[in-house]
Amino acid sequence: MSMIAAFYSGKSILITGATGFMGKVLMEKLFRTSPDLKVIYILVRPKAGQTTQQRVFQILNSKLFEKVKEICPNVHEKIRAIYADLNQNDFAISKEDMQELLSCTNIVFHCAATVRFDDHLRHAVQLNVTATQQLLLMASQMPKLEAFIHISTAFSNCNLTHIDEVIYPCSVEPKKIIDSMEWLDDAIIDEITPKLIGDRPNIYTYTKALGEMVVQQESENLNIAIIRPSIVGATWQEPFPGWVDNLNGPSGLIIAAGKGFLRSIRATPMAVADLIPVDTVVNLTLAVGWYTAVHRPKSTLIYHCTSGNLNPCNWREMGFQVLATFEKVPFERAFRRPNADFTTNTITSQYWNAVSHRAPAIIYDFYLRLTGRKPRMTKVMNRLLKTVSMLEYFVNRSWEWSTYNTEMLMSELSPEDQRVFNFDVRQLNWLEYIENYVLGVKKYLLKEDMAGIPEAKQHLKRLRNIHYLFNTALLLIAWRLLIARSQMARNVWFFIVSFCYKFLSYFRASSTLKV
Ligand SMILES: CCCCCCCCCCCCCCCCCCCCCCCC(=O)SCCNC(=O)CCNC(=O)[C@H](O)C(C)(C)COP(=O)(O)OP(=O)(O)OC[C@H]1O[C@@H](n2cnc3c(N)ncnc32)[C@H](O)[C@@H]1OP(=O)(O)O
Ligand SMILES: NC(=O)C1=CN([C@@H]2O[C@H](COP(=O)(O)OP(=O)(O)OC[C@H]3O[C@@H](n4cnc5c(N)ncnc54)[C@H](OP(=O)(O)O)[C@@H]3O)[C@@H](O)[C@H]2O)C=CC1
C-alpha cells in the first residue's frame, strides 16, 4: 500500500493553476492514485469565451483524464471549481467560497504563475509575487492546513552557476517592489525593470525569485516547502508517455524544427539540457506534500527537480535524437526538410538566420504574392526568431543544482511509494523519452494522424528534390554571371571544360583498347 496515496485519501486539496500544464497532470495523478480524496478545489477564471465550468468539463473530457474516469467515475463531483482571478484583490472569490476554502482545505499546491518571459513587470509581480503573498495570508487562516507547497523554478537564481537548495535574497525587498507597483506609472516601471532584474535574463525568473522570498518571509507559522523544477517537458510514463499540451520550453521549438522553419540555433552543443518530465515533477510534488505534512520539517525545505546532476543529457544529443525521430515520424506539410545546426558564434548564427530562415521566408512570400495569395511567412519567421532569441540564454549555459533534499526524500519513501511516485531521473532513458516527446508533440499538439506518415515522407522527398534543383539552378546562374563578367572565371571555366574533355577522351580510348 502506498503511504502517499493513503495520505491524500479523505483530504480537501486546493490547487492554483490547475488549468495549466503542470496543474492538470497534478490533478490527474491525485485522482488516479487517491480516488478517495474528499475534494479538489481549483481556482479558475473564465477564459477565451469559456466559463469556469466549461473549462473544467473540457479538461475532464480530454485524453489525459481517460484513465481517471475509469478509476474514479465520480471525478466530476470531486472537483470544485471556484471562480477566481489571481490578479484581483482577494482573488475575486465570493464570501461563501472563501469561507469554505478557509475552513476545509488540508493541503495547498500553488502552481499558478505567469511563465511568459516578456510580461510587464507590474503583471508579473501581481501574479508571481503579490498573489503568492495573498495565498499565504489565506493559508494562515486555514485551521486544518497541513502543508503548503509552492512551485517555483530552478531558474529563479539562474544568474548563479551553482545553486543550492536555499533561498537567495534579491537586492530589493519584495514588499518594496509590491508597494512601488501601486504608485509607479508604466513608463517608470519600464525604465527601472532592467536595473531590477540585473543579471537575470528576464522578468519571469526575477519575479519567481521574489516569490520565493515572500514564501520565506511569510512562512513563520506555516508548514511550507518549495519545489524548483528545471525545464518541464512532456510526460515520461504517466498517464501515458509523451503527453504535452502547450508550446512552452522545448515543445514549440520541436514543432518549428520538425516543420522545417527552424534549422539553426545559437546553442552550446555540450551544455546540459536540463529537461524534466512533467510527471516526475508531479510525483515529487505529491511526495513533498506528504513529507511536509507528516514529518513537519523545522524549516522550509527546497527541492530541486532537475536532471543534470543525476542523468545529464546535452543539447547535441537531444537535437540528434529529435532529428532521428523526425526521420521515422515526420511532421505533415513541412515548409523545409528538418535540419539542426547548433552554432555558438553570434556572427555565424546571424548568417544562418539570414540564409536559412529569412531568405527562404522571403522567397516563399514572393511565391505567395505571385500566386495571388497573402504573404505571411516573413511575419511567422520574425516571431519565431524573437522566441528563439528569448530561449537562447537557456541553451548556452549549464547549471549545477544540488539535490540533497530531493535525494533525502527519495530515501524516505517506501519501495511501493518509490514505484508509484517515481521521481528518480536516473531511470530515465533519454533516447526513448525524446522519441516519445516528439511523437507526443505530433499527436497531442499538432493533432496529426499516424496514418499520414507515408504522405509526410513523400512530401519530404519532394522538398529534397526541390532543394537540389534550386541549389543547382542557383549555382549555374551564379557561375553564368561570373563568366560574363570576369576573364579569369572564363579562363578557369575553359580549363575545367578542356580538362574534362581530355580525361573523357583518354578514358574512352583506353576502354576501346581493352576491348
Ligand atoms: C536547429 C534547431 C533545433 C533543431 C533540432 C531540434 C532540437 C529541439 C530540441 C530543443 C531545442 C532547444 C529548446 C530549448 C528550449 C529552452 C527553453 C528553456 C526555458 C527555460 C525557462 C525556465 C523554465 C520555466 O521556469 S518557465 C516555462 C518556460 N516558459 C516559456 O517557455 C514561455 C516562453 N514564451 C514566452 O515567453 C512568449 O510566448 C514569447 C515571449 C516567446 C513570445 O511571445 P509573443 O507575444 O511574441 O507571442 P505569443 O502569442 O506568446 O506566441 C507567438 C507565437 O510563438 C509561438 N510560441 C510561443 N511560445 C513558443 C515557444 N516556446 N517556442 C516556439 N513557439 C512558441 C506561439 O504559439 C505563437 O504562434 P502563432 O502561430 O503566432 O500563434
Ligand atoms: N513549464 C515549465 O517549463 C516550468 C514551470 N514552472 C512553474 O510551474 C508552475 C506551473 O507552470 P505551467 O503549468 O507550466 O504553467 P502554465 O502557463 O501552463 O499554467 C499557468 C496556470 O496559472 C493560471 N493563472 C495565470 N494567471 C491567472 C490568474 N490571473 N488567475 C487565475 N489563474 C491564473 C493559469 O490559468 P489560465 O488557464 O486561466 O491561464 C494556469 O492554470 C509555475 O509556477 C511555473 O513557474 C517551473 C519550471 C518550469
Side-chain angles (χ1 to χ4, degrees), residues 115-118 153 155 204 247-249 252 383 386 390 395:
V115 302
R116 289 184 69 91
F117 294 158
D118 64 341
T153 164
F155 295 98
Y204 167 70
L247 292 170
N248 288 342
R383 288 186 85 165
K386 179 189 151 200
M390 290 202 181
V395 286

Side-chain angles (χ1 to χ4, degrees), residues 115-118 153 155 204 230-231 247-250 252-254 257 262-265 315 319 322 339-341 383 386-387 390-391 394-395:
V115 302
R116 289 184 69 91
F117 294 158
D118 64 341
T153 164
F155 295 98
Y204 167 70
S230 48
I231 305 171
L247 292 170
N248 288 342
L253 292 199
I254 290 177
L262 183 70
R263 292 163 58 95
S264 155
I265 187 168
W315 290 111
V322 170
N339 186 31
D341 177 28
R383 288 186 85 165
K386 179 189 151 200
T387 299
M390 290 202 181
L391 299 179
F394 300 95
V395 286

Side-chain angles (χ1 to χ4, degrees), residues 155 231 249-251 253-254 265-275 312-323 340 342 391-399 430 434 437:
F155 295 98
I231 305 171
S251 310
L253 292 199
I254 290 177
I265 187 168
R266 195 174 69 78
T268 305
M270 301 317 280
V272 176
D274 210 299
L275 239 67
C313 174
N314 61 43
W315 290 111
R316 191 179 68 89
E317 290 162 337
M318 196 154 288
F320 190 76
Q321 184 59 16
V322 170
L323 280 186
F342 292 118
L391 299 179
E392 271 175 0
Y393 178 92
F394 300 95
V395 286
N396 282 290
R397 286 167 178 76
S398 292
W399 287 267
W430 282 108
I434 296 163
Y437 194 156

Side-chain angles (χ1 to χ4, degrees), residues 302-319:
I302 293 149
Y303 299 83
H304 282 161
C305 193
T306 53
S307 57
N309 65 336
L310 295 174
N311 184 2
C313 174
N314 61 43
W315 290 111
R316 191 179 68 89
E317 290 162 337
M318 196 154 288

Side-chain angles (χ1 to χ4, degrees), residues 98-246:
M98 185 62 94
Q99 200 47 52
E100 186 177 343
L101 281 178
L102 295 184
S103 58
C104 301
T105 304
N106 301 116
I107 318 281
V108 177
F109 293 108
H110 179 34
C111 302
T114 167
V115 302
R116 289 184 69 91
F117 294 158
D118 64 341
D119 225 336
H120 193 262
L121 186 65
R122 190 193 301 282
H123 182 244
V125 165
Q126 170 59 40
L127 213 57
N128 296 349
V129 192
T130 315
T132 302
Q133 191 188 43
Q134 244 185 302
L135 193 67
L136 285 160
L137 188 70
M138 274 172 66
S140 66
Q141 298 163 49
M142 293 175 176
K144 291 187 185 160
L145 189 72
E146 296 171 51
F148 182 108
I149 311 302
H150 174 73
I151 310 295
S152 185
T153 164
F155 295 98
S156 54
N157 302 292
C158 59
N159 49 331
L160 307 174
T161 44
H162 178 90
I163 301 157
D164 283 320
E165 291 166 303
V166 296
I167 292 172
Y168 296 90
C170 299
S171 53
V172 184
E173 278 290 306
K175 280 192 181 113
K176 283 193 183 152
I177 302 282
I178 293 173
D179 289 346
S180 64
M181 291 300 123
E182 274 169 25
W183 57 271
L184 288 178
D185 68 28
D186 282 357
I188 298 178
I189 292 180
D190 287 344
E191 214 167 289
I192 61 168
T193 299
K195 293 191 184 84
L196 287 174
I197 67 174
D199 50 1
R200 284 188 179 78
N202 53 45
I203 287 173
Y204 167 70
T205 51
Y206 173 63
T207 52
K208 289 298 279 188
L210 287 177
E212 288 185 5
M213 282 181 76
V214 162
V215 172
Q216 188 183 39
Q217 289 165 359
E218 313 282 329
S219 65
E220 217 168 288
N221 299 316
L222 291 168
N223 211 9
I224 302 191
I226 297 178
I227 318 256
R228 285 188 186 148
S230 48
I231 305 171
V232 182
T235 52
W236 167 21
Q237 290 166 320
E238 293 177 80
F240 45 83
W243 182 84
V244 56
D245 82 336
N246 74 22

